[in-house]
Amino acid sequence: MPTPVDIIQKKRLGKALNREEIEQFVRGCTDGSFADYQTAALLMAICINGMNAEETRDLTMAMAHSGDMLDLSSLSGPTVDKHSTGGVGDTTSLILVPLVAACGAKVAKMSGRGLGFTGGTLDKIESIPGANPAMEIDDFIRTVETIGCAIISQTGDLAPADKVLYALRDVTATVDSLPLIVSSILSKKLASGAQNIVLDVKSGSGALMETLEKSEELARMLVNIGNATGRHFCALVTDMNQPLGMNIGNALEVREAIEILAGKTGGALKEVSLDIGTHMLRLAGFDRPRERIEEALTSGAGLKKLAEMIEALGGDPRVCEDISLLPQAEKIIPVPAPESGWICSMTACDIGRASIALGAGRIQKSDKIDPAVGIIMTRRIGESIEKGEPVAFLHANPASDVESAKKLLLNAIRISKEPVETPPLVYAVIE
Ligand code: URA
Ligand code: CA
């Protein structure tokens, strides 16, 4: 059997690792027989010398199998999941999971918390009074069978190799590597069990990949490697040069999801949710996917499904009828536009950071978030505004750093004297 040093040396020299070597490495970093410094050295060699498609697939499979593989085969209906690479005001999961379930697909979704300036579905769900997304696997599968969907926290034993690798990548400047990103994302999705998976790869100032070219490359690689594992994947490359929804912050994003499912509001978040949902149904084998998902929205079936899911998680389903039952901030502070014109940019990462200054996210892992605080934007890129009109409202509590939030927000927004074109919502669909 090759030693850790042999494996590191081989990759350092730019050679391709075989499946056995990759499996030994993944086993080693999970069970501790590879020391952290050896794992870190190999990560750096992979980061610099890359991995071919076969190596990336083998790494993905080995990481997926490093812990429990959820078995969803007992569910009576096609299983479908989605994953977003993370963004600001990206509340698509809360909208399309119930919509797709209302159409008859089974959605057993495991979600994570906010990371950096991006929000996390789990934090949003926990902002609903009573809701607790920490469910046992048996209950999870039973809930998905009964109501069609559930969103819970990732269990401790889902792709444990990724936890080790991600933590080391974070502190060794090796996050930014396509094979490492692809295997990290796909291993967790494969372990979560769904047969059909739609990936939402964000592109822009608030995304993992800033340029369209890099986002498309990531999307193509995710789909190719994903399909090579035998599951069905597709990816949408969507815009994250501005927040997707108008609301940023946990309870505020739940509120926008409810308003969209209730037919009370529309916009980019609704459109992208319908697009992703359509591809989820299509991959899962439904005919007329677009018609079905639109029908689930207009009939109110999606909102009813969301209420059922909230109740199954122990939360108060009445929030779906009465958003005032969601936590509310003490103060609502308008942020006036400094000049008149057309909004030409809204750097999503800085708007995310402004919401964190208010308390909607964490700076340190142990920080407690305030579910009520956040930002409601009034404009999107291309829309006009008069000087002094509010460009956003800050929802703040006494612990919020309102001054920093205001500064970050105003710095994130550029206003042009000339009309500006509205950017597309979806750049590409990768099959
Ligand atoms: N998201 C992940 O889960 N892993 C990565 O490596 C990057 C983004
Ligand atoms: Ca992610």
Side-chain angles (χ1 to χ4, degrees):
M1 211 163 65
T3 67
V5 173
D6 296 332
I7 298 173
I8 297 165
Q9 167 94 334
K10 192 170 175 188
K11 184 44 76 182
R12 202 201 78 203
L13 294 171
K15 295 181 186 156
L17 301 178
N18 61 39
R19 195 166 100 192
E20 206 185 346
E21 290 158 340
I22 288 171
E23 285 175 353
Q24 194 188 324
F25 158 58
V26 171
R27 213 177 310 117
C29 74
T30 315
D31 71 13
S33 57
F34 264 60
D36 277 357
Y37 47 80
Q38 292 171 319
T39 300
L42 185 52
L43 287 171
M44 185 58 81
I46 293 170
C47 198
I48 291 170
N49 290 326
M51 276 186 148
N52 64 32
E54 206 176 327
E55 288 176 285
T56 308
R57 186 203 58 202
D58 290 344
L59 179 60
T60 300
M61 290 306 277
M63 287 169 66
H65 285 274
S66 67
D68 293 338
M69 294 287 284
L70 215 60
D71 179 4
L72 301 180
S73 61
S74 67
L75 292 171
S76 60
T79 53
V80 54
D81 197 356
K82 61 82 68 164
H83 178 78
S84 155
T85 58
V88 179
D90 177 15
T91 321
T92 52
S93 287
L94 286 178
I95 298 163
L96 55 76
V97 166
L99 279 177
V100 165
C103 295
K106 299 287 191 226
V107 198
K109 182 157 175 53
M110 295 203 187
S111 283
R113 297 195 180 281
L115 197 67
F117 56 80
T118 68
T121 302
L122 222 49
D123 295 325
K124 296 172 201 178
I125 288 177
E126 283 181 350
S127 77
I128 300 166
N132 177 10
M135 201 183 255
E136 295 293 330
I137 294 298
D138 290 355
D139 292 336
F140 178 45
I141 291 178
R142 209 172 307 120
T143 303
V144 175
E145 178 58 27
T146 316
I147 69 173
C149 60
I151 302 177
I152 67 162
S153 48
Q154 278 172 13
T155 72
D157 211 36
L158 190 87
D162 180 61
K163 291 196 182 70
V164 176
L165 295 180
Y166 202 93
L168 285 172
R169 286 166 62 205
D170 206 22
V171 292
T172 56
T174 53
V175 170
D176 193 15
S177 152
L178 273 178
L180 295 180
I181 293 172
V182 166
S183 54
S184 168
I185 292 174
L186 291 181
S187 61
K188 285 171 285 194
K189 287 290 114 182
L190 293 176
S192 318
Q195 291 300 316
N196 308 289
I197 299 151
V198 177
L199 302 166
D200 178 11
V201 178
K202 304 289 185 188
S203 183
S205 60
L208 187 62
M209 299 291 175
E210 287 206 15
T211 68
L212 189 52
E213 200 184 357
K214 288 200 97 176
S215 306
E216 285 193 13
E217 191 186 358
L218 172 61
R220 208 165 298 116
M221 202 157 155
L222 283 164
V223 170
N224 288 341
I225 304 285
N227 285 338
T229 68
R231 312 268 181 105
H232 304 127
F233 279 84
C234 86
L236 282 73
V237 180
T238 66
D239 183 68
M240 192 39 71
N241 282 300
Q242 61 183 327
L244 181 56
M246 303 307 278
N247 296 13
I248 301 118
N250 298 286
L252 291 175
E253 291 184 44
V254 172
R255 179 169 141 183
E256 190 171 6
I258 290 169
E259 285 169 342
I260 286 173
L261 287 171
K264 289 183 181 145
T265 186
L269 175 59
K270 174 183 155 186
E271 295 309 319
V272 172
S273 300
L274 288 175
D275 281 343
I276 299 170
T278 300
H279 285 282
M280 289 169 78
L281 288 178
R282 182 182 59 78
L283 272 195
F286 289 85
D287 64 350
R288 302 180 294 107
R290 182 79 193 187
E291 279 172 55
R292 283 177 196 270
I293 198 139
E294 285 183 359
E295 164 67 15
L297 182 78
T298 49
S299 68
L303 184 63
K304 188 163 164 280
K305 211 36 99 184
L306 178 66
E308 287 172 15
M309 183 176 82
I310 290 171
E311 189 163 29
L313 296 173
D316 185 349
R318 295 173 307 162
V319 297
C320 292
E321 306 298 326
D322 180 2
I323 52 169
S324 73
L325 294 171
L326 289 166
Q328 314 228 13
E330 283 182 23
K331 279 184 289 186
I332 298 177
I333 305 158
V335 181
E339 54 199 313
S340 299
W342 285 264
I343 309 286
C344 63
S345 74
M346 294 218 276
T347 317
C349 53
D350 289 329
I351 296 177
R353 290 188 184 103
S355 77
I356 292 174
L358 294 170
R362 301 174 185 81
I363 295 169
Q364 302 207 316
K365 217 176 148 186
S366 57
D367 288 351
K368 238 179 102 67
I369 62 168
D370 182 339
V373 302
I375 303 168
I376 297 188
M377 307 299 301
T378 70
R379 297 291 192 284
R380 291 182 56 80
I381 293 174
E383 294 177 350
S384 65
I385 194 160
E386 296 295 319
K387 180 178 174 174
E389 273 188 288
V391 67
F393 293 92
L394 305 182
H395 287 237
N397 271 333
S400 302
D401 183 352
V402 171
E403 283 318 304
S404 297
K406 221 182 247 179
K407 211 176 282 170
L408 281 161
L409 185 70
L410 285 173
N411 271 332
I413 297 169
R414 293 275 170 275
I415 297 173
S416 153
K417 291 284 168 222
E418 306 293 327
V420 178
E421 272 193 47
T422 53
L425 296 174
V426 178
Y427 293 108
V429 178
I430 314 274
E431 298 284 348

